[in-house]
Amino acid sequence: MPVSDTNYSRIAKNTVFLFFRMILTMGIGLYTSRVLLNALGVEDYGIYNIVGGFVAMFAIVSGALTSAISRFITFELGRGDSEAIHKTFQCSVTVMVGISAIVIIIGETIGLWLLYNKLVIPEARLDAAFWVFQFAIATFVLNLLSTPYNACIISHEKMQAFAYISIFEAVSKLLICFAIIHSPFDRLVFYAVLLCLVGIIIRVIYVIYSKKNFTECRGHMIFDKKIVKSIFHRMEFHRLFGVDIKRSGGHNPPQSVRRTGSQRRKCHRSKSQRHSLRICQLFHHGRQSADNQELCQRQLSRA
């Protein structure tokens, strides 16, 4: 089979697997929310969301790093440099360990201060909220440590494994919701414990699969300042704030960004006039072309 046909076949298979994953996880997620609300009750459900929401804010880091790590591993795969792939992956693991330590420090200081001083939680449920917060941090740290392996699977285009693991995680969370209904313990704390357990299982699955199939995932952590700096340069935090500016080569913004204020206004005005002229021509489509052009130019000059 030609190389192009093989690539098209791989793209089609990956698309099908990702679409299948998206449909199943969305459906399971919607149903899980309903079952969880019935199992925990309104008060505990609200406590879990507000306590876990603080930890979930750090998911910004996870998403941005997955994109950056995947980009560099894919680039080195294209070059065929196995040593560079290994160094990039092991540096990314080191970065995630460092960020995990920062998250734990922030959570155990600022997070606990917010929990006891700022969040409005019934006094009888403060102990339960404390343990939910601890297990939420542990679950998030496990997800962070799985990020390099997740990025490696995506870079190697093993979407079948990625889809299966994601579906397993979604189904496990649904089963947890049914399990806590019959729990003899505090349902809120028990739910947080089981979620942490699922996080451990997912982490183990990612590590075993990656180390079995990808040689760069074997070995020990290393630290390369240049690689770490490049990874952070590629973290796409700017998209969260609606700014679509990418670094050119990791350092300088593109030429279009370096325009002066008057140049940007002039360019914008020129584009607006062209769009307005086109709209006007379409609106007066029934007129003769010469009359149409003259009428539209006259209306633009008035504007």
Side-chain angles (χ1 to χ4, degrees), residues 49-267:
N49 278 278
I50 195 171
V51 172
F54 175 79
V55 180
M57 289 191 303
F58 294 101
I60 299 172
V61 178
S62 177
L65 275 173
T66 299
S67 175
I69 295 169
S70 178
R71 182 260 180 197
F72 278 98
I73 294 177
T74 303
F75 178 75
E76 299 299 344
L77 281 172
R79 292 177 58 194
D81 191 340
S82 57
E83 183 179 354
I85 298 172
H86 179 265
K87 289 179 65 176
T88 301
F89 177 83
Q90 296 301 337
C91 278
S92 67
V93 174
T94 305
V95 169
M96 299 315 294
V97 171
I99 293 179
S100 298
I102 294 173
V103 169
I104 292 173
I105 293 172
I106 294 175
E108 296 298 333
T109 53
I110 299 175
L112 288 179
W113 177 79
L114 289 173
L115 177 67
Y116 284 108
N117 295 279
K118 297 299 180 181
L119 299 183
V120 181
I121 298 174
E123 189 174 351
R125 302 300 293 158
L126 273 177
D127 288 341
F130 169 80
W131 287 111
V132 167
F133 184 73
Q134 298 300 322
F135 283 110
I137 292 178
T139 303
F140 180 74
V141 167
L142 289 170
N143 291 333
L144 276 181
L145 295 177
S146 299
T147 297
Y149 300 93
N150 189 344
C152 196
I153 291 174
I154 294 174
S155 298
H156 285 273
E157 299 184 22
K158 300 295 184 180
M159 299 305 177
Q160 181 178 1
F162 180 64
Y164 287 156
I165 294 173
S166 300
I167 293 170
F168 171 76
E169 183 178 6
V171 172
S172 299
K173 291 180 179 179
L174 177 60
L175 295 177
I176 287 174
C177 295
F178 287 113
I180 62 176
I181 297 176
H182 308 287
S183 171
F185 312 105
D186 187 300
R187 291 184 177 182
L188 182 59
V189 177
F190 190 55
Y191 177 66
V193 172
L194 291 181
L195 278 184
C196 186
L197 180 61
V198 169
I200 294 174
I201 295 173
I202 296 298
R203 157 79 171 160
V204 171
I205 292 175
Y206 271 126
V207 172
I208 292 176
Y209 179 86
S210 299
K211 289 190 174 183
K212 182 179 179 181
N213 293 277
F214 315 128
T215 56
E216 63 268 18
C217 298
R218 305 164 193 165
H220 59 278
M221 295 187 299
I222 60 176
F223 182 84
D224 188 302
K225 184 178 179 180
K226 183 178 179 181
I227 295 177
V228 172
K229 186 178 179 180
S230 299
I231 290 175
F232 278 102
H233 276 164
R234 286 289 173 176
M235 291 176 67
E236 299 178 344
F237 288 129
H238 56 271
R239 294 190 180 276
L240 300 171
F241 305 101
V243 181
D244 193 16
I245 299 175
K246 280 184 178 287
R247 294 178 180 267
S248 177
H251 297 287
N252 299 320
Q255 182 66 33
S256 59
V257 180
R258 298 196 295 268
R259 290 172 176 166
T260 64
S262 60
Q263 289 175 330
R264 288 195 298 268
R265 288 192 295 270
K266 184 178 180 180
C267 180

